[in-house]
Amino acid sequence: MRIKQLDYIIKIVELGSVNEAAKHLFITQPSLSNAVKELEQEMGIQIFQRTQKGMILTTAGTEFLAYARQILEQVDLLEEKYKGTDKRRRLFSVSAQHYAFAVHAFVQLIRSYEENEYEFTFRETQTNNIIEDVSTFHSELGILYLNAFNEKVIRKLLKEKQLTFHPLFIAKPHVFVSKKNPLVGKSSVTLADLEDFPYLSFEQGRVNSFHFSEEILSTLYHKKSIRVSDRATLFNFLIGLDGYTISSGVLSRELNDENIVALPLEVDETMELGWIHPIQKPLSPMAEEYLHYLKEHIIDYGFTIIEEA
């Protein structure tokens, strides 16, 4: 087994295609395919399943990839220490539900990174995609929430994907509204107060189960309902239509439009926000640093971080 073969595997996973990976690696497609086949034969496993949609990791391949990343990280450290080589181009990805605090922490991570080259990816995406991204190593971490309604379903899926949920903090539901909304000024709002305002939520694609909704109370009927796919559009509708959405109440002072206000929602519910990660894969230094900024930002907003046993 050669280090270069491990680099090949990781590039194929990132791009989902042997052809695209070969272009980025500046080798021919047959050479790359042969290198993968040789590695599979040597290891006695099938790393990829070849499909019409591209190369998909098998279960054995997913486990192999976790070890491959660890090996390459250690090789990188050895070369830096003893050969004086430049650091390997850093790659780090996070997939998250639409939370400003997760974006803010990512911005801080990038600002703190002093190297000239890096490739960071932040995916604000649907709940099922977050789980898929982390289980297939397209993202190292995922950010989502659990509550009494969705916990059983989400935890079952995480177990099937060999992922674990690490709680960060408990939040009581708030509604986000425009600062010009007639409800602004109230110390809290009820569901009855919201009845005549347009309700905004993030669509969940093909897996549009209530259990995958980013908003609690997803089974409630709303007279006016609008689904969107990105946070900027949702905020525009909050302002333009006097709409509202339900979330954790954590807004970023730096990144969010100052025209948005969070109001406590009078319901007997809580949200446990946290991060997911493969069970047996250790965190990279980059992931550790991101979690540091994430916790720092959460504490800055007056929440208490849940300490795991």
Side-chain angles (χ1 to χ4, degrees):
M1 181 178 67
R2 301 186 301 276
I3 297 299
K4 187 174 291 187
Q5 288 174 304
L6 302 184
D7 276 323
Y8 290 171
I9 297 297
I10 288 173
K11 184 56 69 175
I12 293 171
V13 171
E14 288 171 359
L15 299 176
S17 162
V18 173
N19 287 333
E20 290 301 314
K23 292 177 186 177
H24 282 73
L25 294 166
F26 302 104
I27 61 175
T28 65
Q29 186 270 333
S31 296
L32 181 54
S33 295
N34 288 335
V36 173
K37 289 178 182 177
E38 288 174 6
L39 184 59
E40 288 179 321
Q41 290 172 358
E42 183 180 351
M43 295 293 102
I45 60 171
Q46 181 181 355
I47 298 173
F48 290 108
Q49 179 181 352
R50 284 78 174 169
T51 72
Q52 292 181 342
K53 295 182 179 180
M55 303 283 273
I56 300 174
L57 281 171
T58 62
T59 301
T62 299
E63 184 178 14
F64 179 85
L65 182 65
Y67 286 108
R69 289 188 187 275
Q70 292 176 51
I71 291 169
L72 290 176
E73 287 167 4
Q74 295 303 312
V75 169
D76 190 24
L77 291 173
L78 283 170
E79 289 181 343
E80 286 177 40
K81 183 173 180 64
Y82 295 106
K83 294 175 64 177
T85 57
D86 293 335
K87 290 184 178 181
R88 186 186 298 270
R89 180 181 175 89
R90 293 299 190 214
L91 302 173
F92 180 63
S93 299
V94 171
S95 293
Q97 291 176 330
H98 298 76
Y99 298 126
F101 65 85
V103 177
H104 191 170
F106 207 79
V107 169
Q108 288 179 292
L109 174 70
I110 296 172
R111 284 176 178 170
S112 71
Y113 191 66
E114 298 178 350
E115 301 303 320
N116 292 326
E117 291 193 26
Y118 56 75
E119 185 176 326
F120 293 160
T121 304
F122 189 91
R123 302 179 178 92
E124 278 193 332
T125 187
Q126 298 159 355
T127 303
N128 189 64
N129 289 347
I130 295 169
I131 296 170
E132 285 299 317
D133 284 350
V134 178
S135 67
T136 57
F137 298 97
H138 280 82
S139 288
E140 185 169 352
L141 301 177
I143 312 294
L144 47 74
Y145 85 94
L146 300 179
N147 74 339
F149 176 71
N150 73 1
E151 182 172 12
K152 187 174 181 180
V153 171
I154 298 295
R155 283 195 183 277
K156 181 177 182 294
L157 182 56
L158 294 179
K159 185 176 180 180
E160 290 173 357
K161 300 289 185 178
Q162 298 186 327
L163 305 176
T164 183
F165 177 85
H166 301 267
L168 281 168
F169 67 105
I170 302 292
K172 292 187 177 180
H174 286 62
V175 294
F176 289 163
V177 296
S178 162
K179 71 177 184 181
K180 295 181 179 179
N181 189 290
L183 296 174
V184 172
K186 294 174 68 72
S187 59
S188 62
V189 295
T190 66
L191 292 172
D193 292 331
L194 299 166
E195 188 174 351
D196 292 326
F197 295 93
Y199 168 69
L200 297 160
S201 61
F202 290 107
E203 61 97 16
Q204 294 297 320
R206 289 177 297 176
V207 189
N208 202 27
S209 162
F210 290 128
H211 295 97
F212 287 82
S213 173
E214 291 190 40
E215 302 79 23
I216 68 163
L217 308 172
S218 56
T219 59
L220 289 181
Y221 172 75
H222 302 276
K223 290 193 298 185
K224 305 171 184 177
S225 181
I226 304 170
R227 288 183 179 171
V228 300
S229 59
D230 68 270
R231 191 153 43 91
T233 300
L234 183 139
F235 279 11
N236 286 337
F237 283 151
L238 293 185
I239 296 168
L241 298 174
D242 268 342
Y244 75 95
T245 191
I246 302 175
S247 189
S248 65
V250 185
L251 286 165
S252 170
R253 299 184 186 97
E254 275 192 45
L255 304 178
N256 277 109
D257 193 311
E258 60 185 13
N259 291 319
I260 303 301
V261 176
L263 301 175
L265 179 61
E266 294 180 24
V267 291
D268 188 21
E269 297 274 353
T270 58
M271 304 169 66
E272 184 176 43
L273 292 99
W275 54 281
I276 61 172
H277 184 256
I279 291 173
Q280 295 184 337
K281 185 178 185 297
L283 289 172
S284 69
M286 196 74 71
E288 294 276 13
E289 188 174 358
Y290 175 70
L291 288 173
H292 166 75
Y293 289 124
L294 195 63
K295 293 175 182 179
E296 196 175 64
H297 187 50
I298 291 165
I299 291 170
D300 184 50
Y301 273 83
F303 292 92
T304 300
I305 296 295
I306 298 172
E307 299 295 340
E308 296 186 80

